[in-house]
Amino acid sequence: MIDAEDWPGMATLLAWWREMGVDGALDESGTDWLAREGAVPGQAFALQKVEPQKAEPPAASPRPAPAVQRSAPAPGRFDASPAGDAAPRRFPTAPPDAAALSARQAARGAATLDALRAVLERFDGCALKATAKSLCFYRGRPDARLMIVGEAPGREEDLAGKPFVGRAGQLLDKMLAAIGLGEDDVHITNVVYWRPPGNRTPTPQEVQVCRPFLERQIELVAPDVIMTLGGPAATALLGIEGGIMRARGRWRELEVAGRKVPAMPTLHPAYLLRTPIGKRLAWRDLLAIQERLLGSRGK
């Protein structure tokens, strides 16, 4: 029984969980991880029911109780139904190198962006898919001259199934409007296509698995200029180390399928929301991108 004086603290804790990205329960009750005997989240596991010792031994050895088999929820869904109602659903993933090879083969066979989306919807090599609700492929123009690459979808993006639709996306739209561009003029995506739990930074392994799809996406869009948003995107796509503050504002070159594309790393809109003073630096980068787009028009 919870005392009335405990409710304010619980409300604060629930609000903090929500800010950290906890927006759903995976089961109706808590999980005793120590009883899993080393199994990790996302793997099928069994808990053996232990019968209490009886005062008198039975005439015959009892058959062991059936194991309770659980599995990770199906991609994009939470399953809180009791075990035994249906066959357990599994979400197997290969090691990163094998998954990346499979991704490269699958991406190469996509002749259009629609085909690439269909391949991503079937692809199970990235574990992020098991905890995300939606695939966030892209929004904007399929053949835009400016391609924008961010870090990963957030909560709002996961719910909508599109990248950059939350507060950071709204600021991005205003930034683009300041140089005369709208959603129909740009192609916006991320280095990973599913929301990481709790909005954490994607791991290098997750980025590695999604990289072949992103490269194929760049190849199909064929932009004149690429803009990366934030440090993780600049590191993942351009191999930049040392922090976004040192890297931003300097033109790089990205080669995809034998084609070299100028790329500009800049600050992420989410950072600008927290640190408005950085907007003056982002504005310089936007002006440089506008100038490069005007210079490349008609080439």
Side-chain angles (χ1 to χ4, degrees):
M1 186 69 179
I2 301 175
D3 296 331
E5 57 267 21
D6 293 335
W7 282 110
M10 292 190 63
T12 302
L13 177 61
L14 289 172
W16 182 81
W17 279 346
R18 184 179 181 85
E19 289 295 323
M20 294 299 101
V22 179
D23 51 18
L26 293 178
D27 209 340
E28 294 177 345
S29 59
T31 299
D32 184 359
W33 294 99
L34 296 178
R36 285 190 162 199
E37 299 181 354
V40 299
Q43 289 183 340
F45 67 96
L47 297 178
Q48 185 73 30
K49 181 179 179 183
V50 179
E51 297 289 348
Q53 187 175 6
K54 297 182 180 180
E56 296 181 2
S61 299
R63 298 178 62 185
V68 177
Q69 184 75 24
R70 296 182 186 269
S71 64
R77 299 176 60 183
F78 295 117
D79 184 8
S81 60
D85 291 350
R89 293 180 292 184
R90 300 176 182 273
F91 188 78
T93 57
D97 290 341
L101 177 60
S102 175
R104 194 169 302 280
Q105 294 171 344
R108 184 51 51 189
T112 65
L113 286 175
D114 288 339
L116 187 60
R117 179 193 294 272
V119 169
L120 277 166
E121 288 173 345
R122 297 191 302 267
F123 183 70
D124 287 341
C126 181
L128 292 177
K129 186 176 180 180
T131 54
K133 176 181 181 294
S134 305
L135 165 70
C136 298
F137 187 30
Y138 78 90
R139 73 175 176 98
R141 187 184 179 95
D143 57 349
R145 298 179 62 227
L146 174 61
M147 186 169 181
I148 301 171
V149 183
E151 176 183 336
R155 182 176 184 273
E156 290 81 4
E157 289 74 18
D158 189 33
L159 293 174
K162 293 182 179 180
F164 284 93
V165 296
R167 292 183 62 216
Q170 294 167 13
L171 177 56
L172 176 61
D173 290 343
K174 292 178 181 178
M175 293 165 60
L176 294 172
I179 58 172
L181 299 177
E183 183 173 334
D184 292 337
D185 303 306
V186 297
H187 185 100
I188 306 173
T189 189
N190 286 295
V191 295
V192 297
Y193 298 96
W194 296 275
R195 177 198 179 194
N199 292 351
R200 61 165 172 76
T201 301
T203 66
Q205 292 78 16
E206 292 160 353
V207 172
Q208 176 189 353
V209 170
C210 291
R211 176 68 183 245
F213 297 111
L214 180 58
E215 290 180 350
R216 183 58 174 160
Q217 187 174 358
I218 295 172
E219 185 179 358
L220 292 171
V221 175
D224 292 334
V225 176
I226 293 175
M227 178 171 68
T228 64
L229 302 176
T235 299
L237 195 59
L238 304 175
I240 292 175
E241 301 290 349
I244 188 62
M245 283 299 182
R246 296 179 59 185
R248 58 141 296 274
R250 299 169 55 190
W251 285 104
R252 311 286 173 142
E253 199 171 63
L254 177 66
E255 183 172 350
V256 177
R259 181 173 177 265
K260 296 181 179 180
V261 185
M264 168 69 75
T266 190
L267 304 176
H268 197 286
Y271 171 81
L272 299 178
L273 289 172
R274 300 190 302 267
T275 316
I277 195 173
K279 291 181 179 180
R280 61 186 179 85
L281 300 176
W283 175 240
R284 296 177 189 173
D285 301 340
L286 287 172
L287 291 177
I289 290 171
Q290 182 186 45
E291 183 179 358
R292 179 62 66 97
L293 289 171
L294 290 173
S296 63
R297 188 182 299 276
K299 289 187 179 181

